[in-house]
Amino acid sequence: MTAALLVVDAANVVGSVPDGWWRDRLGAAGRLRDRLVEYAAHGLPEGAVNPALPGPLEVVLVVEGAARALAGVPGVRVEAADGSGDDRIVAVVADREPGRRCVVVTADRELRERVRALGAGVAGPRTVRP
């Protein structure tokens, strides 16, 4: 059975907390990427998403702008958007195997609607950024 897919909107999640991320966008995206490794291995518990999304997961972090230089690490694939990060996220969701469970982490309302139309679930930034 193919692992579920967790797609994370890096700009939206990083921007959800005013912790000075704007001074070092690449560094902030890297810290998020490193936190996602745990979710890749262990999944997301009930409450973070419903139903739970057990690990291992395929985790894709979509970056844009200054964070495009970020490399992936074992457990987290980084996709650099050539243009709109939202469009890249939609493409990742649309390209998954039919029937494969997918959750997109973002607070962007328009993006949530676009990926829901493709059958993906959605979760807010606090899911991966307590």
Side-chain angles (χ1 to χ4, degrees):
M1 184 168 154
T2 304
L5 179 62
L6 181 67
V7 182
V8 180
D9 180 351
N12 189 269
V13 172
V14 165
S16 69
V17 177
D19 62 0
W21 59 265
W22 51 89
R23 290 188 294 270
D24 180 12
R25 294 168 192 258
L26 179 60
R31 289 186 295 278
L32 173 59
R33 177 206 56 205
D34 295 346
R35 278 196 305 274
L36 294 174
V37 171
E38 179 180 340
Y39 298 109
H42 302 291
L44 294 172
E46 182 84 30
V49 291
N50 190 11
L53 195 64
L57 303 176
E58 179 182 356
V59 177
V60 178
L61 179 65
V62 177
V63 296
E64 58 187 278
R68 289 185 69 234
L70 188 68
V73 295
V76 180
R77 183 174 94 224
V78 174
E79 291 272 338
D82 290 331
S84 160
D86 290 1
D87 289 348
R88 186 71 199 121
I89 290 166
V90 170
V92 169
V93 172
D95 289 344
R96 77 188 191 281
E97 299 88 18
R100 183 180 189 194
R101 185 159 178 217
C102 177
V103 172
V104 175
V105 178
T106 186
D108 182 306
R109 287 189 182 123
E110 181 182 328
L111 178 58
R112 284 176 167 241
E113 298 214 2
R114 291 174 69 190
V115 298
R116 279 186 179 130
L118 295 170
V122 295
R126 287 189 180 134
T127 303
V128 297
R129 186 170 184 163

mmCIF file of all heavy atoms in Angstrom, residues 93-120:
data_model
loop_
_atom_site.group_PDB
_atom_site.id
_atom_site.type_symbol
_atom_site.label_atom_id
_atom_site.label_comp_id
_atom_site.label_asym_id
_atom_site.label_seq_id
_atom_site.Cartn_x
_atom_site.Cartn_y
_atom_site.Cartn_z
ATOM 1 N N VAL A 93 -0.820 17.529 -5.844
ATOM 2 C CA VAL A 93 -2.032 16.808 -5.447
ATOM 3 C C VAL A 93 -2.661 16.118 -6.653
ATOM 4 O O VAL A 93 -3.040 14.946 -6.590
ATOM 5 C CB VAL A 93 -3.036 17.765 -4.761
ATOM 6 C CG1 VAL A 93 -4.377 17.082 -4.525
ATOM 7 C CG2 VAL A 93 -2.459 18.290 -3.443
ATOM 8 N N ALA A 94 -2.757 16.826 -7.767
ATOM 9 C CA ALA A 94 -3.383 16.268 -8.965
ATOM 10 C C ALA A 94 -2.600 15.092 -9.537
ATOM 11 O O ALA A 94 -3.191 14.179 -10.124
ATOM 12 C CB ALA A 94 -3.536 17.359 -10.029
ATOM 13 N N ASP A 95 -1.276 15.086 -9.355
ATOM 14 C CA ASP A 95 -0.427 14.043 -9.927
ATOM 15 C C ASP A 95 -0.335 12.776 -9.081
ATOM 16 O O ASP A 95 0.294 11.809 -9.490
ATOM 17 C CB ASP A 95 0.992 14.581 -10.169
ATOM 18 C CG ASP A 95 1.040 15.580 -11.315
ATOM 19 O OD1 ASP A 95 0.087 15.648 -12.108
ATOM 20 O OD2 ASP A 95 2.050 16.312 -11.397
ATOM 21 N N ARG A 96 -0.948 12.756 -7.904
ATOM 22 C CA ARG A 96 -0.850 11.561 -7.051
ATOM 23 C C ARG A 96 -1.661 10.421 -7.657
ATOM 24 O O ARG A 96 -2.535 10.639 -8.499
ATOM 25 C CB ARG A 96 -1.309 11.878 -5.632
ATOM 26 C CG ARG A 96 -2.810 11.960 -5.461
ATOM 27 C CD ARG A 96 -3.181 12.472 -4.077
ATOM 28 N NE ARG A 96 -4.576 12.331 -3.772
ATOM 29 C CZ ARG A 96 -5.541 13.118 -4.194
ATOM 30 N NH1 ARG A 96 -5.275 14.128 -5.000
ATOM 31 N NH2 ARG A 96 -6.796 12.898 -3.836
ATOM 32 N N GLU A 97 -1.353 9.209 -7.204
ATOM 33 C CA GLU A 97 -2.063 8.039 -7.704
ATOM 34 C C GLU A 97 -3.536 8.115 -7.311
ATOM 35 O O GLU A 97 -3.867 8.570 -6.215
ATOM 36 C CB GLU A 97 -1.467 6.748 -7.117
ATOM 37 C CG GLU A 97 -0.019 6.506 -7.444
ATOM 38 C CD GLU A 97 0.929 7.161 -6.437
ATOM 39 O OE1 GLU A 97 0.508 7.507 -5.317
ATOM 40 O OE2 GLU A 97 2.098 7.347 -6.791
ATOM 41 N N PRO A 98 -4.424 7.649 -8.182
ATOM 42 C CA PRO A 98 -5.850 7.657 -7.860
ATOM 43 C C PRO A 98 -6.124 6.905 -6.551
ATOM 44 O O PRO A 98 -5.568 5.838 -6.308
ATOM 45 C CB PRO A 98 -6.491 6.928 -9.050
ATOM 46 C CG PRO A 98 -5.514 7.102 -10.161
ATOM 47 C CD PRO A 98 -4.152 7.113 -9.510
ATOM 48 N N GLY A 99 -6.943 7.502 -5.703
ATOM 49 C CA GLY A 99 -7.319 6.868 -4.445
ATOM 50 C C GLY A 99 -6.327 7.057 -3.305
ATOM 51 O O GLY A 99 -6.611 6.678 -2.173
ATOM 52 N N ARG A 100 -5.167 7.625 -3.586
ATOM 53 C CA ARG A 100 -4.161 7.814 -2.539
ATOM 54 C C ARG A 100 -4.586 8.954 -1.621
ATOM 55 O O ARG A 100 -4.903 10.052 -2.071
ATOM 56 C CB ARG A 100 -2.819 8.148 -3.179
ATOM 57 C CG ARG A 100 -1.694 8.295 -2.166
ATOM 58 C CD ARG A 100 -0.415 8.627 -2.864
ATOM 59 N NE ARG A 100 0.716 8.563 -1.962
ATOM 60 C CZ ARG A 100 1.907 9.052 -2.240
ATOM 61 N NH1 ARG A 100 2.128 9.602 -3.422
ATOM 62 N NH2 ARG A 100 2.876 8.973 -1.371
ATOM 63 N N ARG A 101 -4.583 8.705 -0.325
ATOM 64 C CA ARG A 101 -4.967 9.733 0.633
ATOM 65 C C ARG A 101 -3.940 10.854 0.635
ATOM 66 O O ARG A 101 -2.732 10.625 0.593
ATOM 67 C CB ARG A 101 -5.092 9.137 2.035
ATOM 68 C CG ARG A 101 -5.603 10.175 3.026
ATOM 69 C CD ARG A 101 -6.218 9.595 4.240
ATOM 70 N NE ARG A 101 -6.624 10.680 5.134
ATOM 71 C CZ ARG A 101 -6.542 10.628 6.438
ATOM 72 N NH1 ARG A 101 -6.110 9.540 7.032
ATOM 73 N NH2 ARG A 101 -6.916 11.649 7.175
ATOM 74 N N CYS A 102 -4.447 12.073 0.702
ATOM 75 C CA CYS A 102 -3.598 13.259 0.656
ATOM 76 C C CYS A 102 -4.180 14.319 1.584
ATOM 77 O O CYS A 102 -5.391 14.534 1.600
ATOM 78 C CB CYS A 102 -3.548 13.789 -0.780
ATOM 79 S SG CYS A 102 -2.607 15.310 -0.985
ATOM 80 N N VAL A 103 -3.298 14.970 2.339
ATOM 81 C CA VAL A 103 -3.678 16.101 3.179
ATOM 82 C C VAL A 103 -2.738 17.250 2.845
ATOM 83 O O VAL A 103 -1.519 17.060 2.767
ATOM 84 C CB VAL A 103 -3.589 15.754 4.683
ATOM 85 C CG1 VAL A 103 -3.794 16.995 5.544
ATOM 86 C CG2 VAL A 103 -4.602 14.676 5.045
ATOM 87 N N VAL A 104 -3.308 18.435 2.647
ATOM 88 C CA VAL A 104 -2.538 19.645 2.366
ATOM 89 C C VAL A 104 -2.604 20.545 3.598
ATOM 90 O O VAL A 104 -3.686 20.808 4.123
ATOM 91 C CB VAL A 104 -3.079 20.382 1.127
ATOM 92 C CG1 VAL A 104 -2.353 21.711 0.923
ATOM 93 C CG2 VAL A 104 -2.962 19.504 -0.111
ATOM 94 N N VAL A 105 -1.453 21.006 4.049
ATOM 95 C CA VAL A 105 -1.374 21.892 5.207
ATOM 96 C C VAL A 105 -1.224 23.322 4.712
ATOM 97 O O VAL A 105 -0.188 23.694 4.148
ATOM 98 C CB VAL A 105 -0.200 21.504 6.134
ATOM 99 C CG1 VAL A 105 -0.111 22.476 7.303
ATOM 100 C CG2 VAL A 105 -0.359 20.070 6.628
ATOM 101 N N THR A 106 -2.270 24.124 4.934
ATOM 102 C CA THR A 106 -2.292 25.531 4.556
ATOM 103 C C THR A 106 -3.492 26.190 5.227
ATOM 104 O O THR A 106 -4.471 25.523 5.558
ATOM 105 C CB THR A 106 -2.385 25.715 3.030
ATOM 106 O OG1 THR A 106 -2.254 27.113 2.716
ATOM 107 C CG2 THR A 106 -3.683 25.183 2.461
ATOM 108 N N ALA A 107 -3.409 27.502 5.375
ATOM 109 C CA ALA A 107 -4.557 28.273 5.849
ATOM 110 C C ALA A 107 -5.177 29.077 4.708
ATOM 111 O O ALA A 107 -6.180 29.745 4.897
ATOM 112 C CB ALA A 107 -4.131 29.224 6.970
ATOM 113 N N ASP A 108 -4.588 28.982 3.528
ATOM 114 C CA ASP A 108 -5.038 29.737 2.364
ATOM 115 C C ASP A 108 -6.398 29.194 1.901
ATOM 116 O O ASP A 108 -6.488 28.060 1.437
ATOM 117 C CB ASP A 108 -3.985 29.605 1.256
ATOM 118 C CG ASP A 108 -4.329 30.381 0.016
ATOM 119 O OD1 ASP A 108 -5.439 30.202 -0.527
ATOM 120 O OD2 ASP A 108 -3.468 31.153 -0.437
ATOM 121 N N ARG A 109 -7.438 30.002 2.027
ATOM 122 C CA ARG A 109 -8.803 29.533 1.720
ATOM 123 C C ARG A 109 -8.970 29.101 0.269
ATOM 124 O O ARG A 109 -9.587 28.086 -0.013
ATOM 125 C CB ARG A 109 -9.820 30.620 2.073
ATOM 126 C CG ARG A 109 -10.009 30.784 3.550
ATOM 127 C CD ARG A 109 -11.178 31.718 3.839
ATOM 128 N NE ARG A 109 -11.293 31.889 5.272
ATOM 129 C CZ ARG A 109 -11.256 33.046 5.882
ATOM 130 N NH1 ARG A 109 -11.107 34.151 5.180
ATOM 131 N NH2 ARG A 109 -11.379 33.115 7.184
ATOM 132 N N GLU A 110 -8.449 29.898 -0.646
ATOM 133 C CA GLU A 110 -8.594 29.549 -2.065
ATOM 134 C C GLU A 110 -7.865 28.242 -2.381
ATOM 135 O O GLU A 110 -8.401 27.379 -3.080
ATOM 136 C CB GLU A 110 -8.060 30.672 -2.945
ATOM 137 C CG GLU A 110 -8.215 30.367 -4.430
ATOM 138 C CD GLU A 110 -7.647 31.469 -5.312
ATOM 139 O OE1 GLU A 110 -7.692 32.646 -4.921
ATOM 140 O OE2 GLU A 110 -7.149 31.123 -6.398
ATOM 141 N N LEU A 111 -6.661 28.088 -1.853
ATOM 142 C CA LEU A 111 -5.908 26.851 -2.075
ATOM 143 C C LEU A 111 -6.647 25.661 -1.466
ATOM 144 O O LEU A 111 -6.712 24.594 -2.074
ATOM 145 C CB LEU A 111 -4.499 26.964 -1.501
ATOM 146 C CG LEU A 111 -3.629 25.721 -1.614
ATOM 147 C CD1 LEU A 111 -3.475 25.274 -3.068
ATOM 148 C CD2 LEU A 111 -2.266 25.968 -0.969
ATOM 149 N N ARG A 112 -7.200 25.827 -0.282
ATOM 150 C CA ARG A 112 -7.971 24.745 0.351
ATOM 151 C C ARG A 112 -9.098 24.278 -0.568
ATOM 152 O O ARG A 112 -9.318 23.089 -0.728
ATOM 153 C CB ARG A 112 -8.547 25.214 1.695
ATOM 154 C CG ARG A 112 -7.536 25.267 2.804
ATOM 155 C CD ARG A 112 -8.153 25.842 4.069
ATOM 156 N NE ARG A 112 -7.281 25.614 5.195
ATOM 157 C CZ ARG A 112 -7.616 24.913 6.266
ATOM 158 N NH1 ARG A 112 -8.810 24.395 6.394
ATOM 159 N NH2 ARG A 112 -6.752 24.734 7.242
ATOM 160 N N GLU A 113 -9.810 25.223 -1.156
ATOM 161 C CA GLU A 113 -10.907 24.862 -2.062
ATOM 162 C C GLU A 113 -10.395 24.129 -3.296
ATOM 163 O O GLU A 113 -10.999 23.151 -3.743
ATOM 164 C CB GLU A 113 -11.685 26.113 -2.444
ATOM 165 C CG GLU A 113 -12.313 26.740 -1.222
ATOM 166 C CD GLU A 113 -13.642 27.382 -1.488
ATOM 167 O OE1 GLU A 113 -14.133 27.320 -2.622
ATOM 168 O OE2 GLU A 113 -14.189 27.932 -0.520
ATOM 169 N N ARG A 114 -9.284 24.591 -3.841
ATOM 170 C CA ARG A 114 -8.719 23.968 -5.043
ATOM 171 C C ARG A 114 -8.316 22.519 -4.778
ATOM 172 O O ARG A 114 -8.586 21.642 -5.607
ATOM 173 C CB ARG A 114 -7.512 24.764 -5.549
ATOM 174 C CG ARG A 114 -7.887 26.126 -6.121
ATOM 175 C CD ARG A 114 -6.659 26.943 -6.481
ATOM 176 N NE ARG A 114 -5.949 26.371 -7.623
ATOM 177 C CZ ARG A 114 -4.747 26.772 -8.013
ATOM 178 N NH1 ARG A 114 -4.109 27.746 -7.367
ATOM 179 N NH2 ARG A 114 -4.167 26.209 -9.052
ATOM 180 N N VAL A 115 -7.662 22.248 -3.637
ATOM 181 C CA VAL A 115 -7.218 20.871 -3.384
ATOM 182 C C VAL A 115 -8.361 19.980 -2.915
ATOM 183 O O VAL A 115 -8.365 18.781 -3.200
ATOM 184 C CB VAL A 115 -6.007 20.804 -2.417
ATOM 185 C CG1 VAL A 115 -4.805 21.519 -3.029
ATOM 186 C CG2 VAL A 115 -6.326 21.340 -1.038
ATOM 187 N N ARG A 116 -9.335 20.555 -2.230
ATOM 188 C CA ARG A 116 -10.526 19.764 -1.862
ATOM 189 C C ARG A 116 -11.247 19.282 -3.115
ATOM 190 O O ARG A 116 -11.766 18.169 -3.141
ATOM 191 C CB ARG A 116 -11.475 20.582 -1.000
ATOM 192 C CG ARG A 116 -11.091 20.632 0.447
ATOM 193 C CD ARG A 116 -12.162 21.351 1.263
ATOM 194 N NE ARG A 116 -11.818 21.385 2.656
ATOM 195 C CZ ARG A 116 -11.841 22.482 3.403
ATOM 196 N NH1 ARG A 116 -12.208 23.645 2.878
ATOM 197 N NH2 ARG A 116 -11.515 22.421 4.678
ATOM 198 N N ALA A 117 -11.278 20.124 -4.149
ATOM 199 C CA ALA A 117 -11.924 19.744 -5.407
ATOM 200 C C ALA A 117 -11.221 18.545 -6.045
ATOM 201 O O ALA A 117 -11.818 17.822 -6.841
ATOM 202 C CB ALA A 117 -11.942 20.929 -6.375
ATOM 203 N N LEU A 118 -9.967 18.313 -5.668
ATOM 204 C CA LEU A 118 -9.190 17.177 -6.181
ATOM 205 C C LEU A 118 -9.234 15.985 -5.225
ATOM 206 O O LEU A 118 -8.535 14.999 -5.431
ATOM 207 C CB LEU A 118 -7.737 17.598 -6.414
ATOM 208 C CG LEU A 118 -7.521 18.652 -7.495
ATOM 209 C CD1 LEU A 118 -6.086 19.169 -7.465
ATOM 210 C CD2 LEU A 118 -7.859 18.084 -8.871
ATOM 211 N N GLY A 119 -10.024 16.099 -4.157
ATOM 212 C CA GLY A 119 -10.171 14.987 -3.224
ATOM 213 C C GLY A 119 -9.201 14.981 -2.060
ATOM 214 O O GLY A 119 -9.158 14.014 -1.292
ATOM 215 N N ALA A 120 -8.425 16.038 -1.885
ATOM 216 C CA ALA A 120 -7.477 16.096 -0.768
ATOM 217 C C ALA A 120 -8.162 16.629 0.476
ATOM 218 O O ALA A 120 -9.103 17.420 0.394
ATOM 219 C CB ALA A 120 -6.288 16.983 -1.126
#
